[in-house]
Amino acid sequence: NAGVTQTPKFQVLKTGQSMTLQCAQDMNHNSMYWYRQDPGMGLRLIYYSASEGTTDKGEVPNGYNVSRLNKREFSLRLESAAPSQTSVYFCASSGGLTGLEAFFGQGTRLTVV
Amino acid sequence: KQEVTQIPAALSVPEGENLVLNCSFTDSAIYNLQWFRQDPGKGLTSLLLIQSSQREQTSGRLNASLDKSSGRSTLYIAASQPGDSATYLCAVPDRGSTLGRLYFGRGTQLTVWP
């Protein structure tokens, strides 16, 4: 019963490098999300996907792109990493009987130097 | 946009105490409210989801209440244990939205000492 799986768990990038954070869920949920968590700022939504084939911006989308590859997978791409993107990134999904309860992955700790 | 506030920001208690954590939100037109637990360096674990039609939800020693009209929720932890030490977060969705995009409070950092 894996739930929401994120890779990698840790990453260090140099300014200007690119990378993709991967997320997969095995709960057959329609909706998936990417959040970032910063000290003093709490959790903020970057992008979300209400269903396969759709994506929408959240509160802090600048500098990021996303792809909803299929129902299971939702990736987050940093095209040109900046130190301001140093954060912990969480993927989440929601669905189930009520479609409302959200489940989170274990997070990716990203440092941009 | 929802504004979610959690009080207190930190709480330190001896083992065995009963605790109340508070969460308030600005827009009462919500379908649900969710409480999470986060251990240091870990992801969020869902504790309780309260639908707007419910007033309470219970899981073991945890009881969460929801008063939509006043924009408040409380998480009650009975007979606290050191293993309850973590940060507790509440979250609400957009007004009238059944989607899962959530607005979070900053959390209450709980320490239970033996």
Side-chain angles (χ1 to χ4, degrees), chain A residues 1 10 30 51 63 80 83:
Chain A
N1 189 10
F10 300 94
N30 285 321
S51 61
S80 179

CSV table of all heavy atoms in Angstrom, one decimal, chain A residues 1 10 30 51 63 80 83:
chain,number,residue,atom,x,y,z
A,1,ASN,N,0.9,-1.2,0.0
A,1,ASN,CA,0.0,0.0,0.0
A,1,ASN,C,0.9,1.2,0.0
A,1,ASN,O,1.1,1.9,1.0
A,1,ASN,CB,-0.9,0.0,1.2
A,1,ASN,CG,-1.9,1.1,1.2
A,1,ASN,OD1,-2.1,1.7,0.1
A,1,ASN,ND2,-2.6,1.3,2.2
A,10,PHE,N,16.1,13.7,-1.8
A,10,PHE,CA,17.0,14.8,-1.6
A,10,PHE,C,17.6,15.2,-2.9
A,10,PHE,O,17.9,14.3,-3.8
A,10,PHE,CB,18.1,14.5,-0.6
A,10,PHE,CG,17.6,14.1,0.7
A,10,PHE,CD1,17.4,12.8,1.1
A,10,PHE,CD2,17.3,15.1,1.7
A,10,PHE,CE1,16.9,12.4,2.3
A,10,PHE,CE2,16.8,14.7,3.0
A,10,PHE,CZ,16.6,13.3,3.3
A,30,ASN,N,-8.3,11.1,-8.9
A,30,ASN,CA,-8.3,11.9,-10.1
A,30,ASN,C,-7.4,13.2,-9.9
A,30,ASN,O,-6.8,13.6,-10.9
A,30,ASN,CB,-9.8,12.4,-10.3
A,30,ASN,CG,-10.6,11.3,-10.9
A,30,ASN,OD1,-10.2,10.6,-11.8
A,30,ASN,ND2,-11.9,11.3,-10.5
A,51,SER,N,-7.8,16.5,-13.1
A,51,SER,CA,-8.1,15.2,-13.7
A,51,SER,C,-7.0,15.0,-14.8
A,51,SER,O,-6.3,15.9,-15.1
A,51,SER,CB,-9.4,15.1,-14.3
A,51,SER,OG,-9.6,16.1,-15.3
A,63,GLY,N,8.3,29.8,-12.3
A,63,GLY,CA,9.5,29.1,-12.3
A,63,GLY,C,9.3,27.6,-12.4
A,63,GLY,O,10.3,26.8,-12.4
A,80,SER,N,15.1,26.2,-14.8
A,80,SER,CA,16.3,26.9,-14.5
A,80,SER,C,16.3,27.3,-13.0
A,80,SER,O,15.7,28.3,-12.6
A,80,SER,CB,16.5,28.2,-15.3
A,80,SER,OG,17.7,28.9,-15.0
A,83,PRO,N,18.1,30.0,-6.3
A,83,PRO,CA,18.1,29.8,-4.8
A,83,PRO,C,16.8,29.9,-4.1
A,83,PRO,O,16.5,29.3,-3.1
A,83,PRO,CB,19.1,30.8,-4.4
A,83,PRO,CG,20.0,31.0,-5.5
A,83,PRO,CD,19.1,30.9,-6.7
